[in-house]
Amino acid sequence: MDVARRGFLRGRFRQVANVPRPPWALPHGAFEAACTRCDDCVKACPTRVIAKGDGGYPTLDFHQGECTFCGDCVTACKPAALVREADAAPWSLKAVISEGCIARQGVECRICGENCEMSAIRFRPTLGGISTPQLDDNVCTGCGACVAPCPVGAVSAVLPMETEQ
């Protein structure tokens, strides 16, 4: 069991969450060892999706906007906890649309699809009903553009391990 140090010292034994890190972050463990929690990546992010998280480490908050993969956070990261390698994917995040989606409840809504620049969310017509969102995992970049606009908070960007539950 991987226990958060702060939780251990306070007597709270909980598993460390697999939190989403900024794009091109080193693997879990190596990232935490390299990151000095200087907030330079947080300050450099033009869309404000990188925020200070648990323990002062940077995490992602797609309720503020989307990641444009501009690389400003990587450029600002002096300890090299964020490293952009040629042809390397920025992360393994993918969008997930929960059953709370109002289109899946029979109410016309296409906001997530309208905000997806990659067209990873499409709405297939259904006979006698409302079109429901269909997500193409192969096209989704996990940028989070679909998260904030959702009127009911049914869309999230998560790491693949979280979607298997």
Side-chain angles (χ1 to χ4, degrees):
M1 175 189 241
D2 191 10
V3 179
R5 188 169 124 191
R6 183 181 350 172
F8 176 79
L9 294 173
R10 292 183 179 162
R12 286 187 235 138
F13 302 98
R14 65 173 177 80
Q15 206 163 355
V16 174
N18 194 8
V19 296
R21 295 290 182 213
W24 300 287
L26 295 176
H28 177 68
F31 174 81
E32 288 78 8
C35 180
T36 61
R37 296 174 255 184
C38 65
D39 289 341
D40 286 348
C41 60
V42 175
K43 296 171 193 165
C45 182
T47 58
R48 306 276 183 247
V49 295
I50 302 176
K52 191 173 221 166
D54 227 12
Y57 292 104
T59 187
L60 300 170
D61 181 2
F62 291 118
H63 293 96
Q64 304 302 315
E66 66 186 275
C67 182
T68 61
F69 307 110
C70 66
D72 290 356
C73 55
V74 177
T75 304
C77 185
K78 300 301 180 240
L82 307 176
V83 179
R84 189 174 191 170
E85 295 176 12
D87 298 328
W91 52 40
S92 58
L93 291 174
K94 297 292 179 185
V96 173
I97 304 169
S98 75
E99 290 305 312
C101 170
I102 59 176
R104 291 184 177 167
Q105 307 301 320
V107 177
E108 181 66 38
C109 180
R110 294 175 184 240
I111 293 173
C112 59
E114 291 168 358
N115 285 279
C116 181
E117 190 174 309
M118 300 302 295
S119 298
I121 303 172
R122 296 183 177 207
F123 287 80
R124 304 279 184 229
T126 56
L127 222 58
I130 300 294
S131 298
T132 57
Q134 306 294 316
L135 178 71
D136 185 345
D137 282 338
N138 296 322
V139 177
C140 179
T141 62
C143 71
C146 54
V147 175
C150 180
V152 294
V155 184
S156 57
V158 297
L159 296 165
M161 188 181 350
E162 296 176 39
T163 62
E164 294 171 1
Q165 296 175 352

